């Protein structure tokens, strides 16, 4: 690592309104990200001496660097990575790009966020059916996945980390199940990448938006495609799917780029890409292992504290496997309001309290949150 955890913490030392434990909803912009965006905006406003507002080649280079950095974070080559506006768009590369036939099937855990259910359910008009992988409080096993696969199954779609329980599935075991049955594995990794490690080499597609654990802006994310998937998908056509002759735009052809950039159809959300590139750079400086180690240590500190206060956790009774810790409460709405009033930011989801701690979260912030929870009337175990 090029920086220490303390140095990484220092990037997020700007004054805040309280204790932020809601990274699973939206992340915090560090100073490095804010400076990258403000620098881009200043350039576009003509406020940077000697720099023209139109620096499009530089913007393209920044996009390429974001692809390289994103690939490095998830163990993939830059050529496998394309820029997408969000996780839903990444999932739809497969949902809208595969040559579906009537009778095809997709297997999806019943606990998935709508972003990883609706694209597959939306294929019903093509005769594609969706089978539900059984789950228990947002957790499931590779055996559950295997039980849902039929001879007609072409895709298994799972989240690397479940949005409510924080359950981190065994991607390696699920990948083995899919490989034996020649089924494509599609992974929604927005609740994982940036907090815990994800090996994109295990799946055919891994996609994630930048605005949660990556601490970037809405509007820019990444998708990573396996070599075997690349040529099986039909891209939505635009002017950036293939080589561009900048001196003769009338010479445009239907040729595709040989790599994942064939899924780029038009101009990028440039400010969001500057943010994403900066966020990824700082994370790589610290390193994926250190990020995960710090996030899991913080999650364990929080979970132990909530256990001691008598709360029952949802989905993960043991040591947390992600940055998400969710608990049942007798009156979740009142507890959520109490926490907000005391400056502790968490989410209320499905009448449960979801806390989401990051590597950037300082241990004393967790202790302050626990003290606020303790000040609320004790729940029934």
């Amino acid at each position: 690592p090029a920086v220490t955890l303390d140095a990484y913490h220092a990037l997020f030392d700007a004054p805040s309104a309280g204790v932020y434990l809601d990274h699973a909803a939206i992340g915090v912009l560090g100073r490095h990200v804010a400076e990258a965006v403000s620098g881009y905006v200043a350039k576009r406003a003509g406020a940077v001496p000697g720099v023209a507002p139109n620096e499009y080649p530089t913007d393209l280079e920044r996009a390429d660097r974001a692809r390289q950095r994103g690939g490095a974070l998830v163990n993939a080559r830059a050529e496998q990575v394309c820029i997408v506006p969000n996780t839903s768009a990444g999932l739809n590369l497969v949902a809208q790009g595969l040559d579906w036939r009537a009778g095809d099937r997709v297997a999806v855990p019943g606990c998935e966020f709508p972003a990883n259910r609706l694209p597959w359910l939306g294929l019903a008009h093509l005769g594609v059916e969706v089978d539900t992988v059984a789950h228990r409080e947002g957790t499931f096993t590779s055996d559950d996945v295997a039980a849902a696969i039929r001879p007609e199954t072409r895709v298994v779609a799972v989240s690397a980390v479940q949005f409510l329980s924080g359950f981190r599935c065994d991607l390696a075991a699920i990948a083995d199940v899919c490989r034996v049955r020649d089924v494509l594995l599609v992974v929604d990794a927005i609740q994982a990448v940036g907090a815990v490690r994800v090996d994109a080499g295990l799946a055919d597609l891994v996609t994630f938006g930048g605005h949660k654990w990556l601490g970037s802006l809405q509007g820019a994310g990444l998708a990573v495609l396996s070599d075997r998937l690349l040529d099986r998908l039909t891209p939505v056509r635009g002017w950036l799917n293939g080589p561009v002759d900048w001196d003769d735009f009338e010479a445009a052809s239907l040729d595709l780029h040989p790599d994942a950039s064939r899924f780029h159809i038009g101009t990028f959300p440039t400010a969001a890409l500057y943010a994403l590139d900066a966020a990824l750079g700082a994370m790589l400086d610290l390193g994926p292992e250190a990020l995960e180690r710090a996030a899991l240590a913080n999650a364990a500190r929080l979970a132990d504290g909530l256990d001691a206060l008598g709360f029952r956790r949802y989905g993960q009774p043991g040591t947390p496997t992600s940055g998400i810790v969710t608990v049942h409460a007798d009156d979740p709405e009142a507890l959520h309001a109490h926490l907000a009033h005391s400056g502790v930011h968490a989410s209320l989801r499905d009448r449960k309290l979801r806390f989401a701690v990051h590597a950037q979260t300082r241990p004393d912030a967790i202790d302050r949150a626990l003290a606020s929870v303790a000040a609320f009337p004790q729940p029934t175990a």
Side-chain angles (χ1 to χ4, degrees):
V3 300
T4 64
L5 184 59
D6 284 343
Y8 189 70
H9 281 161
L11 295 174
F12 301 90
D13 270 351
S16 67
V19 176
Y20 194 78
L21 306 182
D22 205 14
H23 295 274
I26 191 165
V28 175
L29 301 185
R31 186 176 66 252
H32 56 306
V33 175
E35 289 173 353
V37 175
S38 62
Y40 168 74
V41 172
K43 180 183 71 175
R44 284 292 307 276
V48 180
V51 177
N54 180 7
E55 290 284 317
Y56 193 57
T58 300
D59 299 341
L60 291 177
E61 290 172 3
R62 193 63 59 99
D64 285 341
R65 191 170 72 178
R67 292 173 64 202
Q68 293 168 359
R69 287 175 164 177
L73 194 64
V74 296
N75 191 32
R77 307 186 313 276
E79 295 78 20
Q80 296 176 272
V81 181
C82 65
I83 296 161
V84 292
N86 46 56
T87 308
S88 295
L91 295 169
N92 271 290
L93 293 179
V94 177
Q96 300 300 319
L98 204 60
D99 59 335
W100 298 102
R101 302 177 296 269
D104 286 343
R105 308 184 81 90
V106 180
V108 181
C111 53
E112 285 297 302
F113 191 75
N116 197 26
R117 285 190 289 113
L118 297 179
W120 316 112
L121 292 171
L123 298 172
H125 69 288
L126 298 177
V128 177
E129 297 188 50
V130 176
D131 296 305
T132 300
V133 176
H135 75 97
R136 292 154 294 281
E137 287 203 343
T139 72
F140 56 90
T141 67
S142 58
D143 288 339
D144 294 322
V145 173
I149 293 177
R150 303 189 184 186
E152 301 82 12
T153 303
R154 295 187 68 189
V155 169
V156 165
V158 301
S159 288
V161 169
Q162 209 270 336
F163 81 101
L164 182 56
S165 67
F167 166 71
R168 184 179 178 184
C169 70
D170 188 343
L171 277 183
I174 294 171
D176 287 341
V177 168
C178 292
R179 189 178 304 109
V180 167
R181 293 161 176 78
D182 194 25
V183 172
L184 295 172
L185 176 57
V186 172
V187 178
D188 174 345
I190 194 170
Q191 295 291 7
V193 176
V196 296
R197 288 175 291 177
V198 174
D199 184 353
L202 295 172
D204 292 287
L205 181 132
V206 172
T207 186
F208 44 94
H211 65 281
K212 295 184 186 289
W213 301 91
L214 287 175
S216 183
L217 293 175
Q218 293 95 330
L222 300 172
V224 184
L225 293 89
S226 69
D227 293 334
R228 78 164 183 159
L229 181 62
L230 186 68
D231 289 326
R232 296 176 64 176
L233 300 182
T234 301
V236 173
R237 296 311 303 241
W239 72 287
L240 288 182
N241 295 117
V244 176
D245 187 338
W246 296 93
D247 296 317
D248 184 6
F249 286 107
E250 292 185 4
S253 73
L254 291 175
D255 293 340
L256 294 172
H257 288 301
D259 65 2
S261 64
R262 66 176 57 184
F263 297 101
H264 295 160
I265 62 175
T267 306
F268 302 126
T270 315
L273 273 178
Y274 272 70
L276 182 61
D277 173 67
L280 289 166
M283 287 184 165
L284 287 174
D285 282 345
L286 181 59
E289 296 83 1
L291 282 167
E292 179 180 290
R293 185 164 55 249
L296 293 183
N298 284 334
R301 186 186 192 99
L302 176 62
D304 289 347
L306 292 169
D307 290 349
L309 291 172
F311 286 87
R312 183 172 76 83
R313 278 189 274 149
Y314 173 78
Q316 290 195 95
T319 302
T321 57
S322 74
I324 296 173
V325 179
T326 301
V327 295
H328 297 273
D330 284 350
D331 191 345
E333 292 82 6
L335 176 54
H336 184 254
H338 163 79
L339 291 174
H341 181 73
S342 61
V344 176
H345 302 282
S347 282
L348 184 65
R349 295 286 186 271
D350 193 23
R351 304 205 71 239
K352 300 171 184 66
L353 263 295
R354 185 186 70 183
F355 301 89
V357 294
H358 207 315
Q360 66 193 239
T361 308
R362 293 182 180 272
D364 65 298
I366 297 171
D367 295 340
R368 288 164 57 194
L370 289 169
S372 180
V373 174
F376 190 75
Q378 191 77 350
T380 302

